[in-house]
Amino acid sequence: MCQSMGQAICELKHTPLSGDKELDSQIKKWVKWDRNQETLCQIMEAVRNEDWDTLRCRLCRRIDFGTAGLRAVMRAGFDSMNELVIVQTSQGLCAYLKEQYPEEADWADRGIVVGFDGRYNSQRFAELTTIVFLSQNFRVYQFKRMVATPFVPYTVVRMNSLAGVMITASHNPKQENGYKVYWTNGAQIIPPHDEGIKQAILDNLQPNPDSWDETLLCGNDMLSDPYNNVLPPYYDALKKEISCPLMESNGRCPLSFTYTPIHGVGYPFVKLAFSKINLKPVIPVVKQIVPDPEFPTAPSPNPEDCKVLELALERAAEKKAQVVLANDPDADRLVVAELDDSKKYRIFTGNEMGALLGWWTLENYKMTEDNPDVPNCVMVSSTVSSKILKAMAEAEGFTHHETLTGFKWIANKALDEQNAGKKVLFGFEEAIGYMISTSVLDKDGIRAAAHVATMACYLRCKKCMTMQEKLRDLYETYGFHASVASSIKCADSGLTNKIFERLRTFDEGQQNTYPTSILEGEYEVENVRDLTTGYDSSTGDKKPTLPVSESSQMITFTFKNGVELTLRTSGTEPKIKYYANVSGKPENKRWDELSSTLNKMMEGILNEFIELEKNGLKLC
């Protein structure tokens, strides 16, 4: 039986609780604070059933706020995504912004940006976020319709706002949602802001009475929809990145493109992007074109999963389209496939497309600038991504930087370089995320789709090449680069920690003693970098140059044959992720041998470092 907060409080007074002081206190807080009928009933039902274990898990553990914000299953509990947690999080973010920007004029003039995607509860969570900030005298630019994630960071910069919030869980299953925070500079938050916001949330858990006041959304001069103010300049910036000759080439090229948003929000934005730069309209995957929070044809809507692309590949074959483009549901990432000589579609990895777009952004820059200054140009990639941009930089004379995983690091590094007077052309990570220029300081699947299509048209109509042929050409020029990247599901955090602790105390439990080889000494380790403990065997002081974080596991092994392996824990899922890269020299044309060696080493690494069979783990 569902009931109001008052009825629930009354029932609690006459219901024996668990006897666990902490748990009983949390139950009472939830019932007192929650204003949502559905989640309130979930907690009360568990109380009636004396399901103390479930309640303890839901109420005595809090969802952790980090540099990715929040992401979790939608259900009742302080460990999950729900209205109460959204209110608490927004109150904490608001308090932290007040601390960082104490002038009230900034709150009213600059305010914050709020957007949402097509998931269940996304619009409601966005509205509650808006209410919290309006109640604290902040101006709020809230999109009134679903938007792609890149529009939130773009709007933060465009409107000179203090921060941005995007309600999305990206490519996660339908049961989940998230709360993604952008800082004043338009990039995702990095330390110390993540810890500052986290503490501010804990200091502001009790909802203010006005935090649920929906009347604030009606006729409020401090609330406006930025959609019509930011879309035209967003697309104007895209057009400036494509020269007139390329626009003409786009219009004449016979290539056709199949597109899917995977039940997400991307289609209208990609459709408009193509029209703006004179590309033929995309051929949509009809069954996936409309935003649908059920994700009926893709229960796990991650375009990195080949199964998710089956409908798009079928549609492309039916329409004889040469290229397939797929955004994830919030349209910040992009997967690309191209018809090959055997009439099958070859799906490019994130590293392969990163290589192609790295070449393309440099080529495009040279074509559009009268006096291109290549030594002043910069590209950025994450440390687990392919090293091909590094090889390209050494040959072409531009600067390349590596960062920690995640676009929060890539974007902030790009911004530092831009502020230093550099021309930032491109940033990418192997997880199909691409940042072309700094118009958006995050990965942008819409802009990436437009550039990939333009690149494909340029190669086909000007160079008589496919993208696959160009990729081989890049390997000929800069050396063959191959990679293996996947993950291992491990829901037991204790086991995960045990695996990493064993690796860093490999010699009879001594600290900073790591494995020295694999496969009975066939492949020897040259250097080890541990960004959890702050150890790097390759530096004079044994300290890494990249930032260290004790809250996540990350160890990189560099082998004497040049293979680099990184093991790390996921920030959003219960997984151990692994990335292995091999970088060949241009003169080494034994590409099959390099790939074979990489695969052989990876098998040894999984068996000896992770101990898959012994630990009862399987690859995802």
Side-chain angles (χ1 to χ4, degrees), residues 308-415:
V308 174
L309 300 179
E310 287 177 356
L311 284 178
L313 298 178
E314 289 173 9
R315 178 72 164 162
E318 173 194 339
K319 293 294 183 178
K320 296 181 171 57
Q322 293 86 356
V323 179
V324 176
L325 304 170
N327 284 140
D328 60 347
D330 67 327
D332 64 350
R333 302 194 304 156
L334 177 75
V335 159
V336 182
E338 183 183 52
L339 198 64
D340 63 18
D341 294 337
S342 65
K343 302 302 179 185
K344 294 182 179 179
Y345 288 93
R346 182 197 193 280
I347 301 172
F348 292 96
T349 68
N351 281 327
E352 291 170 339
M353 191 50 58
L356 284 164
L357 284 172
W359 164 79
W360 171 246
T361 54
L362 181 61
E363 183 80 359
N364 193 25
Y365 169 73
K366 292 176 180 177
M367 288 190 292
T368 54
E369 292 290 326
D370 293 332
N371 297 297
D373 184 6
V374 173
N376 193 52
C377 293
V378 173
M379 296 192 198
V380 187
S381 58
S382 64
T383 188
V384 299
S385 299
S386 167
K387 310 303 176 185
I388 196 164
L389 291 191
K390 180 181 179 182
M392 202 180 293
E394 290 171 352
E396 301 296 338
F398 63 85
T399 300
H400 170 253
H401 291 289
E402 275 192 3
T403 71
L404 291 177
T405 53
F407 254 86
K408 53 186 173 284
W409 300 107
I410 293 171
N412 276 282
K413 184 63 178 179
L415 193 57

Side-chain angles (χ1 to χ4, degrees), residues 223-456:
L223 173 62
S224 59
D225 182 352
Y227 188 86
N228 292 329
N229 290 327
V230 298
L231 246 70
Y234 173 89
Y235 286 104
D236 287 345
L238 173 62
K239 288 174 65 177
K240 288 177 182 177
E241 295 166 10
I242 311 292
S243 66
C244 289
L246 287 175
M247 293 265 201
E248 294 172 6
S249 175
N250 283 347
R252 292 196 302 267
C253 188
L255 278 181
S256 57
F257 301 86
T258 293
Y259 171 77
T260 177
I262 313 180
H263 301 296
V265 301
Y267 177 61
F269 303 112
V270 169
K271 181 180 178 182
L272 183 56
F274 271 50
S275 70
K276 292 288 185 181
I277 58 174
N278 204 31
L279 286 162
K280 293 179 180 177
V282 295
I283 300 166
V285 178
V286 178
K287 291 181 180 179
Q288 295 179 329
I289 197 172
V290 177
D292 187 338
E294 275 293 310
F295 301 111
T297 69
S300 181
N302 186 349
E304 288 182 283
D305 181 352
C306 296
K307 293 180 181 178
V308 174
L309 300 179
E310 287 177 356
L311 284 178
L313 298 178
E314 289 173 9
R315 178 72 164 162
E318 173 194 339
K319 293 294 183 178
K320 296 181 171 57
Q322 293 86 356
V323 179
V324 176
L325 304 170
N327 284 140
D328 60 347
D330 67 327
D332 64 350
R333 302 194 304 156
L334 177 75
V335 159
V336 182
E338 183 183 52
L339 198 64
D340 63 18
D341 294 337
S342 65
K343 302 302 179 185
K344 294 182 179 179
Y345 288 93
R346 182 197 193 280
I347 301 172
F348 292 96
T349 68
N351 281 327
E352 291 170 339
M353 191 50 58
L356 284 164
L357 284 172
W359 164 79
W360 171 246
T361 54
L362 181 61
E363 183 80 359
N364 193 25
Y365 169 73
K366 292 176 180 177
M367 288 190 292
T368 54
E369 292 290 326
D370 293 332
N371 297 297
D373 184 6
V374 173
N376 193 52
C377 293
V378 173
M379 296 192 198
V380 187
S381 58
S382 64
T383 188
V384 299
S385 299
S386 167
K387 310 303 176 185
I388 196 164
L389 291 191
K390 180 181 179 182
M392 202 180 293
E394 290 171 352
E396 301 296 338
F398 63 85
T399 300
H400 170 253
H401 291 289
E402 275 192 3
T403 71
L404 291 177
T405 53
F407 254 86
K408 53 186 173 284
W409 300 107
I410 293 171
N412 276 282
K413 184 63 178 179
L415 193 57
D416 289 344
E417 291 294 291
Q418 180 174 276
N419 291 338
K422 300 290 186 178
K423 175 70 174 178
V424 179
L425 299 178
F426 181 57
F428 95 99
E429 62 181 0
E430 57 77 36
I432 59 172
Y434 314 104
M435 182 183 76
I436 299 168
S437 82
T438 54
S439 293
V440 174
L441 285 162
D442 197 7
K443 53 189 179 289
D444 184 345
I446 300 161
R447 181 174 259 97
H451 275 278
V452 167
T454 300
M455 173 177 65

Side-chain angles (χ1 to χ4, degrees), residues 564-582:
E564 184 178 289
L565 163 80
T566 295
L567 301 170
R568 74 177 185 95
T569 47
S570 170
T572 57
E573 300 170 279
K575 292 179 179 179
I576 298 172
K577 294 193 170 187
Y578 61 85
Y579 314 81
N581 293 290
V582 62

Side-chain angles (χ1 to χ4, degrees), residues 544-571:
T545 55
L546 289 176
V548 174
S549 174
E550 295 180 2
S551 64
S552 60
Q553 302 280 4
M554 186 170 181
I555 304 176
T556 299
F557 296 86
T558 303
F559 291 81
K560 288 184 177 180
N561 67 349
V563 169
E564 184 178 289
L565 163 80
T566 295
L567 301 170
R568 74 177 185 95
T569 47
S570 170

Side-chain angles (χ1 to χ4, degrees), residues 169-226:
S170 188
H171 57 276
N172 286 35
K174 68 179 182 180
Q175 297 88 354
E176 300 184 19
N177 215 327
Y179 188 102
K180 191 174 186 178
V181 179
Y182 293 90
W183 194 243
T184 314
N185 59 8
Q188 292 179 60
I189 53 169
I190 57 173
H193 297 310
D194 55 341
E195 286 297 325
I197 295 169
K198 180 178 180 179
Q199 186 57 51
I201 294 169
L202 296 176
D203 293 339
N204 291 273
L205 292 178
Q206 182 166 341
N208 298 318
D210 291 342
S211 292
W212 302 85
D213 186 1
E214 295 183 20
T215 64
L216 292 172
L217 298 173
C218 303
N220 196 323
D221 292 338
M222 298 288 279
L223 173 62
S224 59
D225 182 352

